[in-house]
Amino acid sequence: LESPILKLLDAFLCPGADPIRVLVTGAAGQIAYSLLYSIAKGDVFGKDQPIILVLLDIPPMLPVLDGVVMELQDCALPLLREVIPTDKVEVGFKDLDAAILVGSMPRKEGMERKDLLKANVAIFKTQGAALEKYAKKTVRVLVVGNPANTNCLIASKSAPSIPKENFSCLTRLDHNRARSQVAMRCGVPADAVKNVIIWGNHSSTQYPDVHHAMVNVHGKEVKAYDAVKDDSWLKGDFISTVQLRGAAVIKARKLSSAMSAAKAICDHMRDWWFGTLDGEFMSMGVYAGGNSYGIPEDLIYSFPVHIKNKSWNIHDGLTVNDFSRAKMDATAAELVEERDTALSFLSQ
C-alpha cells in the first residue's frame, strides 16, 4: 500500500491547481466568440491552470449563449472544468479571479456621444457594484467595452473596496497595431519591435508614440526612428492609421475588430498574470494617480507599464518632447471631458 508520506510527497510534487473563475461579459458577442477558446485552452492563464468560465449576457442573448456553451463543451478542453452561462450578476460576478468586461452599449447611428456615455455609465455602475458585492477583492478587471477608459473609471468608482490598481482598460489592441505598422515598414517580424507606447484614450485622440521604441534589424537593436528612416510618416500617416484602424476594419468588414481585439485581450491578461519581459513595457489603460507625466490624476489613461507579480507600474523617466506633450495633453483633455460628463450621470 502507498504510504501517507508518499501520498503527501506526490501531492506536493504534482499539485492539482485549483480552478480560477474567469468572467466574460457580452459573452454571446463576436469578440467573445474569438476569445473564449484561447482562454479555455490555457493560452492566457497558463497551460496547467484549470478554469471555470462564467459567461454573462443580457436575457435575449441566452439562446445564443447556449450554442457557445455547446461549442466549448465540444472542444473537449482538459483545463475547462465548468462553463456557467447566466444573465444574473449575482451568479456572474461571484468569487471571480478575473473579469473581462466586453459587453457595453454600442454607438448607434445618430446617437450623441453623451447619450452613449449615459447608457454605459448605467451598465458599468451596475457591474462595478456587482464586483464590489460578489467578487474576490483580488480580482483583476479588464474593461473592453467602449468608451473603455471612462467605463473602467466608473466601474472602479462603483467598487470602492477593490484596489484601483486592479482595474484596467484595453489599449493593447492599439499597441499591437502600432507595433505591427512599424514592423511592416521595416520588413521585420512584429516581435522585433518593442516599447511602442499608446498614450491616453482608446479613441481617435490616442497618441501612438515610437520615440522610445526599438527595432531589431539583423540582430542589432536600433531606435525606431533610425530603423524607419521616414520621420514624416512616423509623425503623420503612422499615427492616423493606428488612431483610425478600428473604423477602417468596420468599413471593410462591416463588423468591428473581433479576432484582433480577442488576441489583444489575451496578450493584456497574460502579461498581467505572468509579467512583462525585462527591458520591455506594454500599453495599458490604468489609474493615472501618482503618474510622473503630468496627466490629471483621476483618469484611466493608457501608459507604458511593466508588470511583476500581477502588479503594474508606470514606466517613469521617459523624455517627452513638445510634439508628444501636445498629443498626450489633447487625449487627456478628451478623457477629462468624458469623465466629467460620466460623473454627472453617476450622481443622478
Side-chain angles (χ1 to χ4, degrees):
L1 287 171
E2 201 176 358
S3 74
I5 290 171
L6 279 174
K7 276 188 175 177
L8 273 171
L9 189 62
D10 185 53
F12 179 72
L13 292 173
C14 309
D18 289 332
I20 58 170
R21 289 177 79 94
V22 179
L23 166 68
V24 176
T25 71
Q30 59 152 356
I31 291 176
Y33 193 76
S34 293
L35 171 68
L36 293 169
Y37 173 70
S38 295
I39 295 175
K41 187 161 75 75
D43 290 349
V44 180
F45 298 103
K47 298 293 184 189
D48 55 358
Q49 177 59 67
I51 282 178
I52 297 168
L53 258 184
V54 188
L55 309 180
L56 181 74
D57 216 314
I58 55 176
M61 298 307 290
L62 288 182
V64 178
L65 210 48
D66 286 339
V68 175
V69 172
M70 283 187 252
E71 285 209 71
L72 283 166
Q73 291 165 345
D74 296 349
C75 288
L77 296 164
L79 291 174
L80 187 58
R81 297 300 156 85
E82 192 179 355
V83 185
I84 302 168
T86 185
D87 60 352
K88 295 178 173 57
V89 293
E90 61 272 21
V91 176
F93 287 84
K94 184 176 169 54
D95 295 334
L96 293 180
D97 296 283
I100 302 169
L101 308 183
V102 180
S104 65
M105 166 74 80
R107 192 168 190 169
K108 293 171 182 161
E109 208 172 333
M111 192 182 227
E112 293 287 332
R113 190 168 177 83
K114 68 175 188 301
D115 296 329
L116 181 70
L117 271 171
K118 188 172 189 175
N120 280 297
V121 164
I123 292 167
F124 285 87
K125 180 180 181 180
T126 300
Q127 294 191 346
L131 285 162
E132 173 79 5
K133 189 170 180 182
Y134 301 111
K136 293 179 180 175
K137 299 306 176 195
T138 53
V139 66
R140 298 299 193 272
V141 182
L142 169 59
V143 176
V144 179
N146 286 319
N149 299 59
T150 300
N151 288 346
C152 182
L153 186 69
I154 295 301
S156 173
K157 286 183 179 294
S158 304
S161 71
I162 296 173
K164 289 184 178 71
E165 294 73 29
N166 291 23
F167 287 83
S168 66
C169 81
L170 188 73
T171 56
R172 184 60 171 267
L173 177 52
D174 310 301
H175 180 104
N176 288 350
R177 287 165 171 164
R179 191 178 194 178
S180 177
Q181 287 293 318
V182 172
M184 289 190 295
R185 194 79 175 186
C186 295
V188 298
D191 64 356
V193 180
K194 70 176 189 182
N195 295 350
V196 301
I197 303 167
I198 303 298
W199 299 99
N201 199 1
H202 175 64
S203 76
S204 59
T205 69
Q206 65 176 263
Y207 171 41
D209 176 14
V210 294
H211 283 98
H212 308 282
M214 303 297 287
V215 183
N216 190 313
V217 182
H218 307 307
K220 186 179 174 216
E221 284 205 338
V222 296
K223 291 179 177 178
Y225 268 80
D226 296 333
V228 171
K229 299 188 179 74
D230 188 343
D231 290 15
S232 63
W233 180 76
L234 283 172
K235 290 186 171 182
D237 286 353
F238 161 72
I239 291 174
S240 58
T241 296
V242 176
Q243 288 173 331
L244 303 172
R245 188 67 157 191
V249 170
I250 290 172
K251 187 178 178 187
R253 232 187 127 231
K254 310 299 180 262
L255 291 164
S256 62
S257 313
M259 180 181 11
S260 54
K263 161 67 165 54
I265 291 165
C266 291
D267 291 346
H268 179 117
M269 292 306 291
R270 190 190 313 108
D271 283 347
W272 207 352
W273 229 249
F274 294 107
T276 47
L277 297 172
D278 286 345
E280 286 197 36
F281 43 76
M282 295 299 174
S283 304
M284 263 171 95
V286 295
Y287 192 68
N291 78 85
S292 62
Y293 292 106
I295 302 303
E297 302 248 322
D298 196 27
L299 294 176
I300 299 287
Y301 187 100
S302 183
F303 290 99
V305 302
H306 39 84
I307 305 165
K308 195 173 182 180
N309 301 324
K310 293 186 189 168
S311 293
W312 54 265
N313 281 292
I314 295 171
H315 185 89
D316 286 324
L318 296 173
T319 54
V320 175
N321 62 23
D322 290 346
F323 179 83
S324 294
R325 180 81 262 162
K327 294 202 173 304
M328 289 162 68
D329 289 347
T331 189
E334 181 184 58
L335 279 169
V336 167
E337 190 183 340
E338 265 186 33
R339 175 200 66 197
D340 292 348
T341 306
L343 290 180
S344 70
F345 295 136
L346 188 64
S347 60
Q348 284 175 11

